[in-house]
Every structure is written in C-alpha cells, then in structure tokens.
Amino acid sequence: MQDSAFQDTAVKFLTGSLKGWAYCRDNAAECRDLVVKRGSKLGASHQLWQMNEVNKLVWPSPNGVGLLDETAWKQTVDLSLGTKNQDGQTVITKQPDGTAYTNEYAQKALDALKGEGLDVNGTSFQPATVELKEGGA
C-alpha cells in the first residue's frame, strides 16, 4: 500500500486499539463497568467473566499484542483454501496476494506504545477468578 495517509490512519487506529486492549487487561473491572453502563444485555458478573476469558486468549503475547504469526497465517490460508463447507465451497478461492500478510502497521503501533512505556507483551498477566452470579448480575 503506497497511500501514506491510509498507512498513518492504520497505525493510529492500531495504536489506539492495542492501547485499549492493554488498558482492559490491567483494568478489567473498569472496562466491564463501561460496557454495562452503555446498556449491555449481559450483567456485570458475566461481562467481567467475558473480559477475563478474552484476556486469557490475548495475554501474554510474547511477540507483542497484535502481531500475526506467519506460520499461523499460512496455516489459516491453507485451511481456508482446502476445507469445503456443506455447499462444497471454500472460504477463499485463491492464494492471497503478497500484501495481504503484514505486521508493518502493527509493529509501528507497538513501537509507539513501547515508547510510551506500555507493556505490549503482558507477561505478568494473571487471569482473575470471576464468580458468575445467577442471571449474570
């Protein structure tokens, strides 16, 4: 992609998004409260449980949050090309072009966040013990 305005916007978007993921890693209850306050159909205990479960999927992120593992990318492409659904179709029908896989923008975002002193790996993340309450309250 040669559009510098697009590249700048992509890096800013990723920087803000990844900063938000790190914030909610470190402030799960506050993030839960924000979602509940905005009218979540799920109760507070369910939202906290959900935040905790998502955090366990994301953290720790040894290479840095948001970076794509090239081996996993290739495995996903192969699976998407070779696995047919009930209609005999695959998710994708041809190999993605060379620009489809990149960590360029995510790495720039991580570099900016590291420059702010943000822990982009979450190596000290420990999941919380969340007690689900009846009805998710």
Side-chain angles (χ1 to χ4, degrees):
M1 168 76 48
Q2 298 301 319
D3 183 342
S4 62
F6 172 83
Q7 292 173 5
D8 185 51
T9 299
V11 171
K12 287 177 182 176
F13 174 80
L14 287 168
T15 302
S17 296
L18 298 176
K19 190 174 191 176
W21 279 105
Y23 186 84
C24 286
R25 172 197 68 210
D26 299 335
N27 302 280
E30 184 179 340
C31 289
R32 177 253 348 248
D33 292 346
L34 290 168
V35 172
V36 170
K37 183 179 177 181
R38 296 284 188 258
S40 169
K41 301 294 183 207
L42 302 174
S45 73
H46 186 91
Q47 284 291 358
L48 186 58
W49 175 85
Q50 186 170 269
M51 171 64 36
N52 192 53
E53 292 303 305
V54 168
N55 275 333
K56 289 191 298 188
L57 294 171
V58 175
W59 309 104
S61 187
N63 296 323
V65 65
L67 293 180
L68 290 171
D69 175 76
E70 190 169 7
T71 301
W73 165 264
K74 289 176 181 176
Q75 181 182 15
T76 300
V77 168
D78 291 345
L79 186 67
S80 299
L81 282 168
T83 305
K84 295 183 179 183
N85 65 16
Q86 69 275 8
D87 298 323
Q89 298 174 331
T90 59
V91 174
I92 58 176
T93 58
K94 63 179 183 163
Q95 208 45 251
D97 70 31
T99 61
Y101 171 84
T102 183
N103 278 318
E104 178 183 354
Y105 308 119
Q107 188 60 61
K108 286 179 180 179
L110 290 178
D111 292 345
L113 293 170
K114 286 179 197 175
E116 293 178 17
L118 189 76
D119 174 11
V120 298
N121 303 98
T123 52
S124 63
F125 169 74
Q126 292 295 317
T129 300
V130 178
E131 178 186 344
L132 283 172
K133 297 182 180 166
E134 189 169 340

